[in-house]
Amino acid sequence: MSEDTFPGPFQISLATAKEWEKRYQDENTVEDSKTKVKSFLIPRESLEAVLQLNTEAVRAYIGINDKKEKTLFFVGAGYDKETGTYNDVYGAPSTLLRSEAATDDIVYDGVRPSPPY
């Protein structure tokens, strides 16, 4: 993906996010120091969308997307006073998803690893 199309789609389905998270958990290769991800370029649109969930916090998950790039994706984190824990809060289903069911909850992505971006 070129930087001309940054950030690209910034909403992904919860099912896709879970797949990417599992891919990251299963990955065990050692990265070359020249290509090792040192940071992420995060589109403002993703951050603004997750902040609109009005939760007390935001949780960032690490995953590996379909292009084999490491990525972060964001969900709201709402505090549950009864359990004393933060629970994930997802965006409402959207028709903006690329060929995915518009009934699945969404999380926010669009992040690009650096290097190369």
Side-chain angles (χ1 to χ4, degrees):
M1 169 169 272
S2 79
E3 290 190 35
D4 295 337
T5 58
F6 179 77
F10 75 98
Q11 296 179 354
I12 59 174
S13 70
L14 178 57
T16 297
K18 287 180 178 182
E19 177 185 331
W20 290 2
E21 181 184 10
K22 181 178 181 342
R23 198 178 293 160
Y24 177 76
Q25 293 298 324
D26 294 345
E27 196 259 343
N28 60 7
T29 61
V30 177
E31 293 177 284
D32 181 298
S33 63
K34 293 178 186 175
T35 58
K36 186 174 188 174
V37 174
K38 296 177 180 93
S39 65
F40 292 92
L41 184 61
I42 304 168
R44 179 184 189 109
E45 192 174 18
S46 291
L47 295 177
E48 288 174 344
V50 75
L51 291 175
Q52 287 179 5
L53 296 174
N54 275 339
T55 56
E56 293 86 356
V58 173
R59 184 172 280 132
Y61 285 92
I62 303 170
I64 297 177
N65 64 24
D66 295 338
K67 296 178 182 177
K68 309 294 185 228
E69 298 172 326
K70 287 191 177 161
T71 189
L72 296 177
F73 41 92
F74 305 100
V75 299
Y79 186 71
D80 183 335
K81 292 178 183 177
E82 290 182 27
T83 64
T85 60
Y86 285 89
N87 299 311
D88 289 348
V89 176
Y90 306 105
S94 171
T95 58
L96 298 177
L97 296 172
R98 16 167 238 271
S99 71
E100 295 176 4
T103 58
D104 200 5
D105 291 334
I106 58 171
V107 301
Y108 303 97
D109 179 41
V111 174
R112 298 295 174 258
S114 178
Y117 300 95

